[in-house]
Amino acid sequence: MTAGPPQTVVIVGAGLTGLATALFLAERGHHSITLVDLVSGTEGYNSNAHDPVPIILGRHRETLRLLRLIQPPTASEASSLFLEFRLADGRTISYHPPRLPGSWQWIMGLLRFRGLAWRERWTLLSYLEQLWEGARSLPPDLDNHTADQWLESIGQSPMSRKQIWSPLSRWLTGNHLERLSASVFVHQLAEIFLQNARDVFLSSLHGSIGDRFLTPLRQALERKGIVPLRCAERPLLRVGPSGIEAIRLPDGRRIQARWYIIALSHRELLALLPEQLLARYAYFARLVDLEPLPEATVEFRHRVISPCPRLVLLADNLFHRVVLTPTAPGEMTCRLSVTVPPSLEELPDDRLLQAARDELQQLYPHDPPRGTLTGTVHRNQQAALSLHGGVTLRRPLQQSPLPNLLLAGPWTDTGWPANIESALVSARRCADIVDRQSTR
Ligand SMILES: Cc1cc2nc3c(=O)[nH]c(=O)nc-3n(C[C@H](O)[C@H](O)[C@H](O)COP(=O)(O)OP(=O)(O)OC[C@H]3O[C@@H](n4cnc5c(N)ncnc54)[C@H](O)[C@@H]3O)c2cc1C
């Protein structure tokens, strides 16, 4: 197979997904790329440049691959850490699988994990062994059950569902155990915990999303002559009988290309799509059913001498997670994620801030973080994607029914919840589709 001619590509949306798609294409020799971004486009899954980089799992292969591609060797600071659980009785227990080959790592990791009662560890282990040996199989209608129902059916007590499984599900998927599809949860657990020991390793990158992802991506693209075009209003898609014909910018310019890749949130995409596509294709109509989930976090930045990142999942009712990450030399960011009530607005900021300070006091009873600056509360209506039963079938594949239109974004069908890894997997798949067509 020989490399074909470079393809012309328009990418709408220059957040993490759009920038990564452009870089993956440029790396394969497709330099004729136009990136179109909205100046005030804050709607979406929002790669907020100032946010700390989320904790990265060894299984986040696409994320680690991108970091290797864009980071100068001098910026490789990262610290490893363990997954910790703070139980209702105040004890903190870490999940610490040994570096053993194959299934030994999770067998020993589970046996040693004191967050679950002995009996529950044995029940879970024997259940997994039976699955492994083919002596039993997962229920065929797993997607019709919630993760909570499934855990109950395999002998996990209400206490361990509250203390361990519920905050784990929130961290891994952004979803409540009571609403999350059992099938999605099982898939995530198997992907992360039941493969290689290194998949479960956690690393915390120093710096913000801007420092580690967005700025190096923009710089790498700039070196290849690709600079996003910024518009004050939404561009428009022009659809013809055989696909997208052009994109029209607010200043009246038309841009034509062989490929159009939309790297926006599903809500923004719906606002961009002509009605005729929604009416004609179930693929697009189904996007209406994708439901974003909100998140509120309380953030403190404080000074430290030696940064020590932590990820603690909480059995608490108000917060389900505390993450401490180094964001600048001598500075840590501490983020507490709120277990969201029906409406985010129900919790006033001052109550959240006080509760967060109390929580930190409990985490560090003898040595609370010093030099704590003023805390801030962040509320975001689209922080995750609801992964209830049936949603997997509604997440679209990257190739749309229009042959020259591709969709990228953490909410597309990637096998991951709507996180950075998912965004990058979708970007890679779009680049693969364009590349495959050019080599035909
Ligand atoms: C509060 C919150 C917490 C999160 N926590 C985690 C986490 O812990 N771990 C994790 O892995 N992931 C997390 N994520 C998800 C992660 O941030 C996203 O997967 C990632 O940022 C998605 O990037 P994106 O480029 O698809 O979207 P965005 O960053 O939203 O980018 C979209 C881009 O499109 C532009 N735009 C918008 N509308 C238009 C338009 N009509 N025309 C042209 N351009 C347009 C915008 O200006 C923007 O540049 C979190 C997200 C949020 C919001």
Side-chain angles (χ1 to χ4, degrees), residues 11-20 35-48 51-56 60 63 170-172 209 214 218 229-231 233-236 247 262-265 268-269 271-272 293-297 321 323 335 337 378-384 408-411 417-424 426:
I11 301 173
V12 183
L16 179 67
T17 309
L19 292 168
L35 263 167
V36 180
D37 204 40
L38 205 58
V39 176
S40 60
T42 51
E43 175 74 8
Y45 289 88
N46 246 332
S47 336
N48 187 342
D51 282 353
V53 178
I55 302 295
I56 296 173
H60 290 157
T63 309
R170 292 298 301 261
W171 172 56
L172 289 178
I209 291 191
L214 301 178
R218 286 192 196 108
L229 268 176
R230 305 217 174 265
C231 335
E233 288 166 44
R234 279 188 184 122
L236 295 175
I247 171 163
I262 310 293
L264 305 175
S265 72
E268 242 334 285
L269 168 67
L272 204 73
L293 295 176
E295 186 184 88
T297 48
R321 168 168 92 233
V323 187
R335 289 194 132 209
S337 304
H378 303 267
R379 296 166 198 271
N380 193 300
Q381 294 298 334
Q382 291 196 58
W411 50 275
N419 56 16
I420 289 180
E421 178 68 8
S422 180
L424 298 177
S426 76

Side-chain angles (χ1 to χ4, degrees), residues 141-366:
D141 60 346
L142 201 57
D143 199 37
N144 297 336
H145 299 276
T146 67
D148 194 53
Q149 289 166 339
W150 171 72
L151 287 164
E152 187 181 8
S153 75
I154 61 164
Q156 296 298 299
S157 69
M159 187 56 128
S160 40
R161 292 192 328 259
K162 179 179 157 64
Q163 302 199 117
I164 306 295
W165 299 107
S166 176
L168 184 64
S169 132
R170 292 298 301 261
W171 172 56
L172 289 178
T173 72
N175 282 238
H176 276 286
L177 209 53
E178 293 82 6
R179 288 214 64 209
L180 177 66
S181 148
S183 149
V184 171
F185 195 46
V186 168
H187 177 73
Q188 278 302 294
L189 295 178
E191 275 288 301
I192 294 164
F193 293 97
L194 302 187
Q195 312 287 329
N196 299 311
R198 67 172 177 278
D199 293 341
V200 199
F201 290 167
L202 302 177
S203 46
S204 162
L205 298 188
H206 301 205
S208 63
I209 291 191
D211 301 333
R212 301 308 292 262
F213 288 100
L214 301 178
T215 305
L217 268 169
R218 286 192 196 108
Q219 287 169 345
L221 287 170
E222 238 174 85
R223 287 195 290 274
K224 293 177 186 293
I226 301 164
V227 178
L229 268 176
R230 305 217 174 265
C231 335
E233 288 166 44
R234 279 188 184 122
L236 295 175
L237 286 180
R238 289 273 164 252
V239 185
S242 54
I244 304 294
E245 289 189 335
I247 171 163
R248 197 160 74 84
L249 301 185
D251 63 10
R253 269 183 295 165
R254 273 165 64 91
I255 306 178
Q256 287 186 304
R258 163 76 179 85
W259 294 95
Y260 299 83
I261 303 179
I262 310 293
L264 305 175
S265 72
H266 50 96
R267 290 276 164 100
E268 242 334 285
L269 168 67
L270 283 170
L272 204 73
L273 284 177
E275 288 268 321
Q276 73 215 67
L277 290 185
L278 287 175
R280 186 155 168 214
Y281 296 102
Y283 172 93
F284 294 114
R286 281 200 299 261
L287 298 177
V288 179
D289 299 330
L290 295 181
E291 191 191 326
L293 295 176
E295 186 184 88
T297 48
V298 182
E299 181 178 301
F300 297 104
R301 298 210 172 202
H302 58 90
R303 288 181 291 280
V304 283
I305 297 164
S306 52
C308 176
R310 285 184 78 180
L311 165 62
V312 189
L313 305 187
L314 306 171
D316 193 85
N317 285 325
L318 189 52
F319 300 105
H320 58 86
R321 168 168 92 233
V322 182
V323 187
L324 281 115
T325 36
T327 29
E331 186 195 84
M332 293 287 279
T333 297
C334 173
R335 289 194 132 209
L336 295 100
S337 304
V338 179
T339 306
V340 179
S343 157
L344 276 183
E345 313 308 325
E346 271 175 31
L347 290 166
D349 286 7
D350 52 353
R351 192 180 144 216
L352 281 177
L353 286 165
Q354 189 49 52
R357 284 198 184 92
D358 295 346
E359 189 69 57
L360 283 184
Q361 186 73 43
Q362 284 186 43
L363 260 186
Y364 295 92
H366 308 299

